[in-house]
Amino acid sequence: MTQSWWKLNPDTGSHAIYTEEDLVNLKGWELAVILFLVISASFIMSFISLFPFIISLLLSSVGIMLFRARYFLLYIKKLREEGKVKFIPKKSVQRKRGTEDQGFILAEVFLPLVLLFLLPIPLNLVIAIGFVIGIPLSILFEKLLEIGLERSLGKVKKFFVWTVLNENDLYLKEYGYLISGKANANEK
């Protein structure tokens, strides 16, 4: 994770603000590994059945990318207008989001396993590998989405505001996205 700055509130000394420069941190070697996996799997699957592999690969990777970026995409209009979107964690909302995340992850893990038993032999392997290789490819798609949106919005950052209580307990007070420069201009 990229730490850009920490800031303690001068009044209480109890708030720490942490921002991440990139929505998706993708290093050069990670990009190389993702491309190697996708290209080598596509080459191997071209001998068996390329079309079902590509379909399952695209469905899996685009689905995961949309799931991971869903809150950013849902609030993009507000982010464009105000320059900042913040969320205050509430127990009921976080429990619901946690259940959604857990259900999606379980479906992503078990769907290829179920397909191995339901489909005929060469097709089940091709589709299962397509779903599995779609996981790292979704990170690349999410980075491309971030680059495309930043061309129209400006540089988007994640931010987290933490509250320190009793000098030992650290709680997340709020989190969200901000457009660098625009959010600072709106606050002044």
Side-chain angles (χ1 to χ4, degrees):
M1 293 206 274
T2 305
Q3 177 184 347
S4 65
W5 50 278
W6 282 91
K7 179 180 171 185
L8 290 176
N9 188 336
D11 298 329
T12 61
S14 66
H15 299 297
I17 299 173
Y18 174 72
T19 60
E20 291 183 22
E21 294 295 323
D22 296 322
L23 298 178
V24 180
N25 296 325
L26 189 62
K27 297 173 182 63
W29 67 270
E30 293 171 335
L31 177 63
V33 168
I34 290 170
L35 292 176
F36 173 75
L37 282 173
V38 171
I39 291 169
S40 60
S42 298
F43 177 73
I44 292 170
M45 292 303 132
S46 69
F47 294 113
I48 301 172
S49 183
L50 185 62
F51 184 70
F53 172 75
I54 295 295
I55 295 297
S56 64
L57 177 72
L58 290 176
L59 283 175
S60 174
S61 58
V62 170
I64 293 170
M65 183 263 309
L66 290 174
F67 183 77
R68 288 177 45 138
R70 69 189 183 273
Y71 296 114
F72 176 69
L73 293 173
L74 286 173
Y75 294 100
I76 198 162
K77 182 178 178 184
K78 184 177 179 183
L79 183 64
R80 180 176 282 133
E81 293 169 356
E82 298 176 13
K84 183 176 184 179
V85 175
K86 68 178 180 177
F87 305 102
I88 298 172
K90 296 179 182 172
K91 189 174 183 178
S92 61
V93 173
Q94 296 304 320
R95 184 177 295 148
K96 179 184 172 205
R97 288 182 181 175
T99 304
E100 289 173 357
D101 293 348
Q102 202 173 32
F104 187 81
I105 290 169
L106 286 174
E108 185 64 31
V109 169
F110 288 113
L111 184 63
L113 296 174
V114 169
L115 291 176
L116 285 174
F117 292 104
L118 295 179
L119 298 174
I121 296 256
L123 189 61
N124 63 5
L125 179 66
V126 169
I127 291 176
I129 290 176
F131 271 99
V132 171
I133 298 295
I135 296 170
L137 185 61
S138 70
I139 297 169
L140 178 63
F141 283 171
E142 191 174 354
K143 184 65 177 177
L144 293 173
L145 176 71
E146 173 189 344
I147 291 169
L149 289 174
E150 284 184 350
R151 286 188 178 165
S152 65
L153 293 174
K155 182 71 177 166
V156 179
K157 298 179 182 182
K158 288 183 194 176
F159 74 91
F160 305 93
V161 178
W162 300 91
T163 301
V164 179
L165 299 175
N166 303 330
E167 297 181 16
N168 295 325
D169 299 327
L170 186 66
Y171 294 99
L172 181 62
K173 185 176 178 183
E174 65 184 39
Y175 61 96
Y177 304 98
L178 60 95
I179 299 174
S180 62
K182 189 172 182 179
N184 295 335
N186 287 346
E187 289 176 0
K188 293 179 182 177

